[in-house]
Amino acid sequence: MKQIHYFLLQIIFLATTALSSACQSSTGFPGVYAGVRLSLNPLGGGMNRTDEVFLLRKDKTFTDELNKKDWKTAIRGTYEINGSDLLLKYSNGDKSKFTITKAGNLDAGTFVLFKMNLDNSIPKGSYQFKFISGSGGISNGTTYVGSSAKRVLNFDGAGSFTTDRESTTVIAGDNIGGGTNAKSDGKGKYNLKDGTLTLKYDNGTTNTHSFFASAGDGKNKAMAVVDGSFYFTDDVNKEHSNKKTSVNKKLPGAAEIFKNLRTVYGGTALDNVKTYIVQAEFSGIKLTSYNDLAQNRFRNEMYNQGKLIAVEQVNTKGGWMWNNGKKTITTKERLEETIYNDHIGVLGLRKQNEAAFSKGIVKATKDGYAVNFEVDGHTFVYIVDSRFNILGDSYQIGNKKQINAYSNNKTIGEIKMPFTTVSGDGKNKITINYKSVEFNKPLSTNWKEM
């Protein structure tokens, strides 16, 4: 059942001069301008964030790709100034227009680009980058599924730094759940020269980044642009206070949650599943998923008005996808994903997964708990309510991310299964309505290669 989510998301996809001279003075117009543009998610509900950062040089060239290694010399186009208007002319023919404000910033109409300092200084503080992506929500009456990421750079103003990062899964419907994974990236010494930030970690690793900051004033907090992404300072004392409050709340352990979830969803009956067949519908398309757990293989078939239009078949050694006459071989990344996503969903509660789940970190949510655990470096999150119903889950396997929200539970034999799933990968979202689920029945497919 879990493999069908990726299959549908994949089908949707298939259907569809050097800076040093500019740094000599910060009083002229050339420099680095940065801002955040927010837009409605096209899938409905929520907001997408885009960080807009431009390096405008004295020779009238510019780049907006400060995350690239050649950002100091790369040319994405040229710019010209007519009165209070700034016109960017991209090399591919695209154009963007800004209005120069009295304060020297750039107004795009729906967002503003602020000028960064070019004095090789980093104001002391804790700089946080936050990104939120999701779909669904109140505006269109569907379950919201999304994720957020936060990275924190702490500079002491005397040459030392620490870094932390945190990722969160959010699923909201009748209940709200979230799971968080936090870890420290390390500490060391830093140096900033001509827009290049060098971080020398205590473990011997050295990283370089493009970096520009604004010290802020009485009204505005300090902020920085790192590799083309906006980092804002935050109230560190408030952060620590919130964390302390959550730590003091008594929570069950991951092993206890796993035990309760198994009780709710079928217990040993889950361990006895050898095969299962799923019949489902998506936007008028009929789907059949054949899953052979004993031989570690599955086959998903999609039909439109009785005609076979797509097939994916995978086992532990490899696989393929066929879509309207075109066949592609399963990538190494996809194969890895199919192996490890056995740790999510109802069948992720099988006894064989207990050890990994039980090592997880538990955090409180509005109406329950989030359990975050890792398997071979891959991250998994379960979000459950206080009655131990699974509201949703998520995973990051390699570079692949997926978030699932579950509802409409029904009991098949001794096993409780959600019959409605909303899945998203940050680009696409699908709602799958299951018509039937059969366990341990003969798989009526010939496993024939297309």
Side-chain angles (χ1 to χ4, degrees):
M1 185 179 298
K2 294 170 287 185
Q3 307 293 357
I4 208 169
H5 307 158
Y6 172 92
F7 176 56
L8 290 175
L9 290 167
Q10 184 71 3
I11 292 298
I12 294 173
F13 172 77
L14 292 172
T16 52
T17 0
L19 176 65
S20 57
S21 63
C23 289
Q24 293 175 359
S25 172
S26 61
T27 59
F29 185 81
V32 173
Y33 295 79
V36 175
R37 174 166 55 88
L38 297 177
S39 60
L40 285 173
N41 190 297
L43 295 175
M47 301 294 288
N48 287 337
R49 164 180 167 168
T50 303
D51 290 2
E52 301 281 358
V53 183
F54 296 88
L55 166 62
L56 305 181
R57 305 186 181 94
K58 288 185 176 181
D59 64 357
K60 298 298 177 70
T61 63
F62 77 88
T63 183
D64 58 356
E65 295 182 336
L66 277 76
N67 60 321
K68 300 294 183 64
K69 291 183 178 181
D70 63 347
W71 62 272
K72 285 192 174 184
T73 56
I75 297 175
R76 287 269 286 160
T78 60
Y79 69 91
E80 61 183 43
I81 299 174
N82 296 313
S84 61
D85 292 333
L86 171 77
L87 182 64
L88 299 180
K89 296 181 178 180
Y90 288 84
S91 300
N92 64 1
D94 292 342
K95 296 180 180 180
S96 294
K97 185 177 180 181
F98 297 88
T99 299
I100 304 171
T101 68
K102 292 181 179 180
N105 300 315
L106 301 178
D107 189 345
T110 57
F111 63 96
V112 176
L113 301 179
F114 297 92
K115 191 172 185 179
M116 300 289 103
N117 296 334
L118 301 176
D119 57 3
N120 291 324
S121 67
I122 301 178
K124 177 182 178 181
S126 178
Y127 296 82
Q128 300 185 5
F129 169 79
K130 296 180 179 180
F131 175 78
I132 300 175
S133 176
S135 59
I138 295 175
S139 66
N140 63 358
T142 63
T143 301
Y144 175 86
V145 292
S147 63
S148 68
K150 179 173 73 173
R151 188 183 183 196
V152 182
L153 297 172
N154 303 299
F155 299 101
D156 68 354
S160 296
F161 76 92
T162 62
T163 66
D164 301 280
R165 56 185 164 134
E166 183 177 282
S167 60
T168 301
T169 297
V170 179
I171 298 176
D174 295 332
N175 300 288
I176 297 176
T180 300
N181 178 32
K183 64 186 301 184
S184 173
D185 281 343
K187 60 181 181 176
K189 300 293 184 180
Y190 70 87
N191 178 65
L192 178 64
K193 183 177 180 181
D194 293 338
T196 297
L197 173 68
T198 302
L199 301 179
K200 294 183 178 180
Y201 289 82
D202 289 347
N203 64 6
T205 302
T206 298
N207 292 333
T208 59
H209 309 267
S210 64
F211 185 99
F212 302 91
S214 176
D217 52 33
K219 296 182 179 180
N220 301 302
K221 296 181 179 181
M223 54 190 176
V225 175
V226 185
D227 290 337
S229 295
F230 237 124
Y231 284 66
F232 297 93
T233 54
D234 207 344
D235 187 340
V236 179
N237 292 328
K238 182 178 180 181
E239 284 269 319
H240 292 327
S241 175
N242 289 340
K243 289 181 179 179
K244 184 176 181 181
T245 299
S246 62
V247 169
N248 290 335
K249 188 175 181 179
K250 187 177 180 179
L251 298 172
E256 181 182 347
I257 292 177
F258 186 84
K259 180 180 179 180
N260 286 319
L261 286 172
R262 277 178 57 86
T263 299
V264 171
Y265 282 89
T268 56
L270 297 171
D271 306 323
N272 295 329
V273 175
K274 305 301 180 185
T275 65
Y276 65 94
I277 305 170
V278 177
Q279 299 284 348
E281 287 189 2
F282 163 72
S283 298
I285 304 296
K286 292 185 177 181
L287 304 139
T288 303
S289 180
Y290 302 96
N291 298 267
D292 187 342
L293 302 184
Q295 297 190 42
N296 292 311
R297 61 179 179 172
F298 69 88
R299 179 182 175 102
N300 296 324
E301 300 177 355
M302 177 185 291
Y303 296 85
N304 183 14
Q305 297 181 350
K307 180 182 177 181
L308 183 65
I309 59 174
V311 179
E312 182 186 30
Q313 184 169 305
V314 177
N315 58 34
T316 56
K317 296 181 180 180
W320 47 269
M321 178 183 288
W322 176 86
N323 181 34
N324 282 321
K326 183 179 179 181
K327 182 179 177 181
T328 56
I329 301 301
T330 301
T331 64
K332 179 181 178 180
E333 291 76 15
R334 169 56 176 154
L335 183 60
E336 183 178 52
E337 184 180 18
T338 62
I339 294 172
Y340 282 98
N341 71 9
D342 283 341
H343 288 276
I344 66 168
V346 172
L347 293 180
L349 302 176
R350 289 155 64 93
K351 194 70 174 179
Q352 65 193 41
N353 298 327
E354 181 178 13
F357 190 107
S358 297
K359 294 177 182 178
I361 298 173
V362 180
K363 292 197 175 185
T365 65
K366 181 180 178 181
D367 187 36
Y369 316 101
V371 183
N372 182 294
F373 61 94
E374 291 190 357
V375 180
D376 298 335
H378 308 298
T379 302
F380 304 86
V381 180
Y382 272 80
I383 300 171
V384 305
D385 65 19
S386 58
R387 297 168 298 280
F388 299 100
N389 294 300
I390 302 175
L391 301 178
D393 55 35
S394 73
Y395 65 77
Q396 179 167 351
I397 301 173
N399 293 322
K400 297 290 186 180
K401 298 180 181 180
Q402 186 165 303
I403 304 169
N404 306 303
Y406 303 119
S407 60
N408 190 23
N409 290 313
K410 298 181 181 181
T411 300
I412 309 298
E414 299 177 52
I415 298 176
K416 181 178 178 179
M417 298 291 294
F419 268 59
T420 300
T421 301
V422 180
S423 298
D425 62 0
K427 297 178 181 179
N428 300 300
K429 187 192 75 169
I430 56 172
T431 299
I432 309 169
N433 295 306
Y434 298 99
K435 300 301 180 182
S436 67
V437 180
E438 296 179 297
F439 293 109
N440 298 324
K441 296 290 183 67
L443 301 178
S444 55
T445 185
N446 57 15
W447 304 95
K448 181 181 179 181
E449 189 164 344
M450 304 296 289

